[in-house]
Amino acid sequence: MSSDIERWVDESARVTTPDRMYWCDGSQREYDALIASMLADKTLIELNQSTHPHCYLHRSDPNDVARTEQLTFVCTQRKEDAGPNNNWISPAEGKEKVRPLFAGSMKGRTMYVIPYLMGPVGSPYSKVGVEITDSPYVAANMHIMSRVGTVALEHYKASKEFIPGLHSLGDISPNRRFIMHFPEERLIWSIGSGYGGNALLGKKCFALRIASFMARQQGWMAEHMLIIGLQDPSGKVTYMAAAFPSASGKTNLAMLVSTLADQGYKVWTIGDDIAWMFIDREGRLRAINPEAGFFGVAPGTGFSTNPIAMETIRKNTIYTNVALTANHEPWWEGIGTEPGSGLIDWQGRTWGPGGAKAAHPNSRFTAPARQCPTISPSWEDPHGVVISAIIFGSRRSVTVPLVYQAFSWQHGVFMGSSMGAETTAAATGAVGVVRRDPMAMLPFCGYNMADYFAHWLEMGKRMKDPPKIFRVNWFRKDASGKFLWPGYGENIRVLKWILDRVEGRGKAVETPLGYMPTADAIETDGLKIPAGAMETLTALDGHGWLNGTVEMEKFYRQFGDRLPKEIWEEHAALRKRLVE
Ligand code: OXD
Ligand code: MN
């Protein structure tokens, strides 16, 4: 055992004063014991073991159901380095503020020490974290979401580097909740929340906020992206990474069931939330999924919308804040079955039709990735997969067309940087409000986003043949508020056009926004959409876009002189193309 890890663990124990300390080895026996202890103290409920073997339900505190962006801080020495996109406080002040909350916070509890590996075993791209937590729920979830125990310590022996993350439930009060990042010393402190994005420190805190900071220093990328392989009729697989804001269908896209399967198009899953991407010796961009599981949004996941996810989460899954049927099965809005009588809502109350939602809108499942029927044979390839296309998407009811392609890497970076998105239930706050969410990284970029855009531009220059960049929008609505595009499995039609473009054969027209598919370029045979929908989906709303550029300008101005001039150049060029 490393003295560095031990020293930090001892120091943390001196502050938090747990009754017991337990080092996780990652074994099945350990996982089973964690589950047994939570069943015993009733923080887990056993689900129907004949229909859902080894599946359990956890109900969180109703005040602790989503990420709390207002309580999340990036503590750099200089405020400008955290940027206007982060809440900032100096490292010294941050520690002074939060240290007293950790004092004695684990009294009466067990401290779990969780060494974990982010990324495939044996990969030069994988990294080690150690999370200390007093939550057995967090420890069990970490077992699913990362590679815990001996594998991590083995990797550490070679890399000599680990990211420490101290987590305590504290008193679960939002008044004493802080998610603190110290990227310059690569340290995470989180207190007052047991919610996944705040408490499973390998995920958003390490794999995105701290990793994005490291990635800029070291010349790689840590992105809020799913990774898929698109197989064509010849059997060739082309890999794509796609950024969407939280709760906007990333898991569905990652597990897409192709409606063009009879033509030979199929999607393989590599990851559904995070991509770490590196330039290889040949100048290509390679991606790994640092995670080992899916922490997906349950509502809207159903037998017709995502049968692959439904199969993935049938066993060995921890459900959080879903409803419970009389038959002890998990249930949520959009699952595609009737709840039957005797449904219990996410807070443990009897539910009646017409009442509030039975499952919390941000209720979740945590399931091992290896159980996914479409998991790619390459998902644990230590070398990662070569990325040929990068896709940016978000919820936009109006203005943004179904798909278009950037003219160049620089234009694509501008496209990603200016992306507007309607907010969702994955974070506390108003839902459905449009905000700028560059590359879907606004809540996750661990440094000044102006520097992040510069880093993207720089990465493009270092690649021999950078991936082609695309923008998609599955969420366009008609005047009556109905979605125009069927989405889900039909999104394969858009992916096929993207693949055609990557291979230099897809038909496109040049528009002020970028290359758009010609009227016949997206296959519509067998597609059930209202008359005129395709025209609206591919139309250019010049007026809406010009207004959009005003919003973009307001967003960019916050970054002052730090914003790369290339972004302003692209912004001006877009305005010019729109008014010409
Ligand atoms: C997530 C999120 O949980 O983005 O993946 O909130
Ligand atoms: Mn996410």
Side-chain angles (χ1 to χ4, degrees), residues 403-455:
V403 60
Y404 57 94
Q405 180 190 354
F407 295 124
S408 62
W409 178 267
Q410 175 173 309
H411 178 227
V413 174
F414 165 71
M415 246 161 62
S417 77
S418 62
M419 186 162 79
E422 290 159 24
T423 51
T424 68
T428 52
V431 168
V433 180
V434 176
R435 68 173 182 182
R436 295 292 126 192
D437 188 353
M439 284 80 170
M441 278 289 277
L442 184 68
F444 307 120
C445 182
Y447 60 102
N448 189 322
M449 268 199 144
D451 301 343
Y452 170 76
F453 302 148
H455 179 51

Side-chain angles (χ1 to χ4, degrees), residues 252 256 259 304-305 402 473-476 482-494 522-524 526-530 533-534 537:
N252 290 338
L256 178 148
T259 55
S304 62
T305 55
L402 180 62
N473 177 24
W474 320 134
F475 301 96
R476 186 88 176 246
K482 281 225 271 314
F483 288 113
L484 281 163
W485 177 251
Y488 302 107
E490 299 295 9
N491 291 337
I492 190 75
R493 297 171 190 268
V494 175
I522 294 204
E523 198 162 321
T524 50
L527 185 67
K528 288 191 212 77
I529 49 169
M534 218 48 214
L537 285 162

Side-chain angles (χ1 to χ4, degrees), residues 204 224 246 250 273:
K204 303 301 185 181
H224 192 204
S246 310
K250 283 219 299 295
D273 195 40

Side-chain angles (χ1 to χ4, degrees), residues 38-182:
M38 288 186 279
L39 288 171
D41 72 11
K42 299 200 168 29
T43 48
L44 273 193
I45 298 168
E46 188 168 79
L47 294 174
N48 186 325
Q49 295 296 295
S50 54
T51 58
H52 290 76
H54 306 287
C55 289
Y56 306 93
L57 166 64
H58 172 75
R59 293 192 186 120
S60 76
D61 186 292
N63 274 321
D64 188 28
V65 291
R67 282 183 293 99
T68 39
E69 292 178 8
Q70 71 285 11
L71 305 174
T72 301
F73 287 79
V74 167
C75 309
T76 44
Q77 294 294 343
R78 293 185 314 184
K79 186 169 194 231
E80 319 76 273
D81 293 338
N85 47 296
N86 282 303
N87 297 315
W88 177 86
I89 180 169
S90 77
E93 281 173 298
K95 286 184 179 169
E96 207 171 300
K97 194 179 172 100
V98 175
R99 193 181 285 110
L101 301 176
F102 277 110
S105 70
M106 297 191 186
K107 206 167 171 43
R109 301 181 189 162
T110 300
M111 171 193 268
Y112 299 91
V113 182
I114 313 169
Y116 63 95
L117 182 67
M118 298 306 285
V121 175
S123 171
Y125 305 133
S126 296
K127 300 198 182 302
V128 175
V130 180
E131 174 161 0
I132 292 175
T133 180
D134 54 5
S135 161
Y137 166 82
V138 165
N141 275 272
M142 285 296 286
H143 257 252
I144 300 175
M145 294 306 296
S146 67
R147 295 158 177 94
V148 166
T150 319
V151 280
L153 293 175
E154 285 297 316
H155 193 97
Y156 175 76
K157 268 193 213 152
S159 71
K160 302 276 183 292
E161 183 187 48
F162 77 100
I163 305 301
L166 175 60
H167 170 254
S168 173
L169 293 170
D171 63 3
I172 303 286
S173 161
N175 298 327
R176 283 172 292 282
R177 179 175 301 160
F178 291 98
I179 324 300
M180 312 293 282
H181 304 74
F182 305 94

